[in-house]
Amino acid sequence: DAGVIQSPRHEVTEMGQEVTLRCKPISGHDYLFWYRQTMMRGLELLIYFNNNVPIDDSGMPEDRFSAKMPNASFSTLKIQPSEPRDSAVYFCASSSLGQEQYFGPGTRLTVT
Amino acid sequence: QKEVEQNSGPLSVPEGAIASLNCTYSDRGSQSFFWYRQYSGKSPELIMFIYSNGDKEDGRFTAQLNKASQYVSLLIRDSQPSDSATYLCAVNLRSNYQLIWGAGTKLIIKP
């Protein structure tokens, strides 16, 4: 079984540019979570979806961040414009019935 | 403020010994409890989950839950150098499906 797939694995961009991170959850999972991890703040939940509908986006740091899930097999997290403080590892995770979460390999974002 | 607390470590354990990792949580409404292992530069990997008071064993791993005292622990028997990683405790609240995460304990198994 394929796990959670994320792309790109690494992204280096300049401040002010738009960044789009992509995620394909495990087939059949109905929950999808976007996290950000830094040394200083640990693992932070940004937003999660249930059946493609955003349920809680209170963790999204500001309006520069947006997330969509147009169908059950695809989600995007967009940052526009990007800033150096957005540099982090972004993880996507999925689960069935909201229980055990399975993580993708992550996208390491560096904003210069 | 719902919190999950872990000792950041590092916790150093000799190879072959039992490693004991602890986690406390503040919300008595917590329903499900998870242990994840994260190697440096990798993503969190689920290794154990527990829902009921008591012990749950899976190979060399045992999760222990005590809801009255609001703690959950992970024991690793016959520790191996490959167990060296950061272990994250996560708690699922009754009210929603979010996991509240601890900051993690760094475990070092010394050969």
Side-chain angles (χ1 to χ4, degrees):
Chain A
D1 282 344
V4 176
I5 299 172
Q6 290 187 248
S7 65
R9 296 291 306 275
H10 301 273
E11 178 79 39
V12 180
T13 191
E14 293 183 347
M15 182 174 64
Q17 296 299 305
E18 178 180 294
V19 175
T20 299
L21 311 181
R22 297 172 175 80
C23 175
K24 177 179 170 57
I26 293 171
S27 178
H29 280 190
D30 53 351
Y31 284 83
L32 184 139
F33 304 82
W34 281 103
Y35 290 93
R36 176 172 69 177
Q37 187 174 41
T38 61
M39 289 294 293
M40 290 294 294
R41 300 175 67 91
L43 199 59
E44 301 175 277
L45 177 66
L46 301 177
I47 185 172
Y48 78 95
F49 296 82
N50 176 221
N51 291 324
N52 315 335
V53 176
I55 302 301
D56 188 341
D57 65 354
S58 60
M60 297 285 261
E62 46 197 277
D63 292 345
R64 298 184 296 107
F65 286 69
S66 62
K68 294 181 179 180
M69 191 166 186
N71 57 62
S73 59
F74 184 65
S75 177
T76 59
L77 178 67
K78 186 175 293 187
I79 308 172
Q80 166 64 20
S82 57
E83 296 182 3
R85 60 193 168 120
D86 302 330
S87 297
V89 180
Y90 290 80
F91 290 109
C92 175
S94 70
S95 74
S96 177
L97 301 178
Q99 293 300 321
E100 309 92 73
Q101 296 182 18
Y102 296 89
F103 283 73
T107 296
R108 183 173 296 276
L109 174 65
T110 303
V111 183
T112 61
Chain B
Q1 180 78 12
K2 299 177 177 61
E3 293 182 344
V4 175
E5 300 286 344
Q6 294 182 258
N7 189 320
S8 62
L11 174 65
S12 184
V13 174
E15 183 176 357
I18 296 175
S20 178
L21 303 162
N22 299 310
C23 170
T24 60
Y25 59 94
S26 62
D27 190 345
R28 286 193 172 275
S30 302
Q31 295 283 295
S32 311
F33 307 85
F34 304 85
W35 283 101
Y36 285 79
R37 176 176 63 199
Q38 187 174 23
Y39 293 114
S40 181
K42 301 296 185 181
S43 58
E45 173 192 9
L46 178 67
I47 53 173
M48 290 285 292
F49 58 88
I50 187 167
Y51 302 139
S52 304
N53 270 333
D55 295 359
K56 178 180 179 182
E57 187 174 316
D58 184 0
R60 296 186 297 113
F61 299 94
T62 298
Q64 299 176 319
L65 174 61
N66 184 322
K67 288 189 175 182
S69 299
Q70 295 177 241
Y71 81 79
V72 56
S73 61
L74 179 69
L75 302 179
I76 307 174
R77 290 182 300 280
D78 187 24
S79 299
Q80 302 296 310
S82 59
D83 295 325
S84 297
T86 296
Y87 288 79
L88 299 166
C89 172
V91 174
N92 192 326
L93 302 178
R94 174 174 45 192
S95 58
N96 59 46
Y97 294 101
Q98 292 187 33
L99 290 182
I100 308 300
W101 294 84
T105 298
K106 185 173 183 177
L107 175 66
I108 298 172
I109 306 301
K110 291 190 171 181

